[in-house]
Structures are given as structure tokens and as C-alpha cells.
Amino acid sequence: MAATPEKRKPPASLMHQLSLPIYALIVTFIALFAASASYILIRVQNDHTRQLAEQSTAFVRRNLAYQFDTMNNMAAFLLTNQSIENLLESAHPAPFEAVEDFFALQANLQNLSLLSLLNDSGSGTAVQQSYAVSVALGPGSGLYALATDHYDPVTGIYKDDDLWEQPWYKALSGGERQNAWWGQRAGRASAAMIYSATRKTSIKDGRTIGTVIIGADTGSIRSVFDNAALKQGYHLLMDESGRVIYSERYRFLEPVGDLPYVRAAANAEGSFVARIDGERHRVMQETMDNGWKLLTIVPESHFNRYTWAISAIGAVTAAAALLIAGYWVRRIVVRVTVPITRLVGAVQRPEVLAFEEPLPSLHSGIYEVDALNQKFASMLVTMHGLIEKSFAEEIERRQLQLELLNAQINPHFLYNTLDLINCRAILSGDEETSAIVRSLANVFRYGLNRGQAWIPLSGEIKQVEAYLHIQRMMMENLRVDIQVPADLADIPIPHFCLQPLAENAIVHGFAGRTGDCRISISAAIDGATLVLRVADNGRGCDAETMNRALRHPPSGGPGPAGEAADGGGSGYGYGTMNVHRRIQLHCGEAYGLRYVLTDEGTCVEAVLPFRDDRSLAEKGAEA
């Protein structure tokens, strides 16, 4: 009985084989996303906490500004009220005649002082404190004689003699400030008070009458800070000299200007981080209209109190996800990539590529991998045939190009034709045409050079002289200065280095120019190098940009695109790059062209090795 062939199970599809691992990876990514989302939510909550602290600072600033504006409004009322103006300016022959005006002014001050600074009467911490409204009169006021001799910072009318030595009074008297603010303890109870002082001048003639002083107990602003209390941290309101006006941490008028974070606030804008008592704190600042500064200091740990917890959760979740993903990725690698790796190994064997051995047949159990192996084997056969065909066509194309190039230029025919034109020009008496033809013949003669790659420096100079001779006939304003030492004439250099540089100067440096065109060519020895310099007084170029272009040519390389850019005045094109690359191919990467920064026009140098071997030059000289 004949043995029945073993029935092979059809290979499963790639999607079927990868469905479970992909599902596991999706679950893993969902877990990572959940952890990341939780982390983001915590960060949002932390940012919200920071915003609450910033809003607390803004709330305190707005309410303090309201309180200070109230004091300013009271001062403005005293400064602009016509009846008070009349009381202060009225002249009296005898002091007793001013008693009625004095008490009228006193009554006005008492009435103003009864206005409460706070509207928050329902706050349990609100201190209902009246204003202390006083006027310090100068000798220019009619009530000066009746005013109290010694100033007391409570409601009343005083002479200003006691205030002359006060810093704030000096600033007002000298015109440095229009309005002065300060804090001091006053009265028998040494209450902490804030004051605002403004100079009172006559509306009629502008003379100084006195100073209006508005005072208020700091308890009047305490409720503002209580209503914006911080769970952690504190506020600090200080005057321009760095003394405390109000703070939950520092005493009234305590100097804090030398604290590091206070000094940092003077040079910073917005919020910043400072180290206080060994812990990082966020410092938020606001500057009041009167020059006082409000700081809100909150520990950074208050903003980031959830950071460590979420970091731990994220780390554990990520570790678990990596373990799961690693297990299934290993399954995928073993299941899928091993057959493909075997296929690649077989393809890399020379015997298979040379069609000495067939591509091995793989049975991975995955339909797509097996189909890939079969199709690749078929593609390998097709590719081998295409390569052979392409190679033969390329050889034929190169041969045709070489033949075409040889047919394009016949040196003997070219020279004979130019000689014929020269003879005809001489016979006709056209010396200028004869000179142009001879120069053109020299250009072609030195340019072809019988295919020699090296030429004596003297031959290169002759070629560029012939080229520039033709250009001078076309440009009457072109002046050429060539200075090459005689002992360098036989130094061998790569052929066709100078003419493209001179041509670049004329075509691009002198484009659109009609007068004073100069080109200078020089040669010098610099250590172990020969430096050929071509300079012009044209419109110039950016030397650094040009050197960078030589070091890193455009991706398209020199060619038509490069020539178009060259026409825009860049000074970089096919000819320049061709010279640079030929020098490097003949002499090494250390040599080539370089652009030199100059005050006028463009200066480019060809840096070549100084070779004392004259044999190459002698071969070129025979040309």
C-alpha cells in the first residue's frame, strides 16, 4: 500500500498570529495613558493651587489700592476744596481774627477723620479705625499763627517746623516727590500707622501753604490680608526703604530689605523661586502705585505636594507595562523576525547572489512571511537580469559620450581656423580683431593643455592674461594687476585654477558696473603652501557664507541651480566649486579655495601645496 502524503496545515495569517500580542500592547498603552492622565490631572491641580496663590496676591493688591486711593481722595478733597482754600489763604490783621476760620478748618478735618476706611463691618477681625487727618501749615498760611507749635500725627492743625528734618518732608519740599508714603508708630499706644503726605499750594499764586497728611491704623488693612489668608506661606507689604508695613511673619517697621529674596525681588519681574530657611519658596510680587511692594511667599512643597505620589504611581505602572510589553515583543520577534532574518542571511550569501545556489525555501507557518520569501526569490532573478542590462547600457552610453566629446573639439582644426582668421584680420589691417583672435587662441591652447592635470604657474598666468586681454577689449574701464615673483614661475599647480576666479569677478563682481573695475592677481609662499590670490573691487560677498558653502555645498551640488544663485551676487557657482573640488582631488582635503574678509569687493585665495618637483610643470610647459 502506498503511503499517503502528510497533510500540511495551511499557514495562518500574520494578523491572526499578532492579534493577541497587539491586544496586550494596547492594554499596556491604555494603562500608561491612564497613569499619565492621572499625573496630568495632579499637575493641573497643583497649577490651580499656584493660581489661587497668585489670585490671593492680586486680591490683596486690589483692596490695598482701594484703601490707598481712599486716602488719596481725601487729600485731593482738602487740596482742591475752595472753602478750605479760602480758610487757609485768608489774611488776618490780628491772630484773634482768625479764630473763627481756624475752628471751621478744624471742624472740616474732624468730619473727614470720622470716615471709616473699612466697609467690611461684618468681619470679626475688622478694626474700625478712623482717619487721622492733619494739616501742617507753613508761614504762607493766614492760620499759621494759631496752629499748634509741635506736630503730633493725629487729627489737627500744626506748624510744619517739626517736620523739616523728616526724610519724606525733605523729598516733598525739594520737589523730588509729589506724594510721600511712610509708616510710623504714633500716639500713646504706639499704634502702627500708615501716612500719606501731599504739598498744598495756593490755587491763586502757587505759593506753598502747607502739607496735607492723611493717616490710618494698619489694623484697617489687616482684614484685607485675613480675607486672603494662605494655608501655607505669608504676605509681606513693605515700603520703598524695605521696612515692613504689614506681614503675618515680621513686625511693623522691621527692616527686611537685606533679605536675599527681597533683594532678588528688586531685580526680578513676576514670580520667581528663592530658598528661604533651607526650603524652596515661590515668591510672587506686585508693586503698588505709591511705590510700596507686596510679596506673597509660598513654599514650593505646597504646590507640589502630590508630585511624589503620582511619580511613584507612574513608575510602578510603567514598570508593569514594560514587563508585559517586553514579553509580547519577544514573542513577536521570535515569531516574525527570525524567519525574515534567515531569509536575509541566505540572500547575503555570495553563492545565492551568484545564482550558484537557489534561495532556500522557508516554512514559517505565517502566510505573509512565506509569500515574501517566494516573491523575493522571483524579484532576485528579475533584478539580476535588469542589472546586467543596465550595466551594458551604461557602458554603451559612456562610450557614446566619449566619442561625442572627442568629435566636439579638434584642437588642430580649432587652431588652424583661428590662425586663418588672424591672417585675414592682419591682411585687412584690423589689428584689434587680430589681437582678440590671438588671445582667444592662447586661451584655448592653455585651456586644453593636451589633457595634462598639472601646469607651471607661468602657463596658468599666461592663460588668465589671455582671457583678461579679451575682457579688457570689451571693458575699457577694466584694469588688471598681476604680480607673480619670477622664482615661482615654474612651480607646478593644478591646471585651470585662476581663470574661473577672474571670470567670477567680472561676471558677478562687476555686474551692472560701468567704471573703475580692478582685478589684482598675486602669488606668495606661506610656509609649506602656495597661495594664489584673486581680488576685485566689485560689489563683494559675505566671506563667511561663501566659506561655509565651500565646506558644505548645497544638496543639489553645483550646476544650474548653483549658477542661478551665483547670478544673484553670491559669488558661488559651478566654476568656483569645480576649482575647489579639483584642488582637493589633486592635493588633498586640506587645500582648496577660501574667501578672505576685505573692506572692498571680493578676495578669494587658492591654497596649494608648495611642490618643488618641476617635472609635472615641465610636462605641461611642453604643451
Side-chain angles (χ1 to χ4, degrees), residues 64 67 194 217-225 237 245-246:
L64 288 177
Q67 302 288 4
I194 57 176
D217 193 289
T218 55
S220 62
I221 61 175
R222 184 177 296 116
S223 65
V224 175
F225 292 91
L237 177 64
I245 299 300
Y246 182 84

Side-chain angles (χ1 to χ4, degrees), residues 149-198:
D149 291 334
H150 298 288
Y151 175 78
D152 190 16
V154 294
T155 300
I157 305 172
Y158 306 95
K159 295 179 181 178
D160 62 359
D161 300 346
D162 293 346
L163 304 178
W164 289 349
E165 298 302 322
Q166 296 294 330
W168 60 266
Y169 190 81
K170 290 181 179 180
L172 287 177
S173 300
E176 300 175 12
R177 304 288 297 271
Q178 297 296 325
N179 182 271
W181 290 80
W182 74 97
Q184 72 177 67
R185 293 191 178 275
R188 296 179 180 179
S190 296
M193 301 286 290
I194 57 176
Y195 290 94
S196 169
T198 308

Side-chain angles (χ1 to χ4, degrees), residues 20 23 46 67 134 225 239-240 315 320 333 405 448 532 587 598 606:
L20 185 59
Y23 177 75
N46 292 346
Q67 302 288 4
S134 58
F225 292 91
D239 62 14
E240 294 177 282
V333 170
L405 182 61
L448 294 174
L532 304 180
C587 306
T598 180

Side-chain angles (χ1 to χ4, degrees), residues 349-360:
R349 295 179 57 190
E351 295 83 0
V352 175
L353 295 178
F355 288 89
E356 296 176 359
E357 294 182 6
L359 192 67

Side-chain angles (χ1 to χ4, degrees), residues 91-105:
H92 303 280
F96 67 87
E97 296 180 2
V99 171
E100 183 178 355
D101 290 347
F102 181 85
F103 283 109
L105 178 60

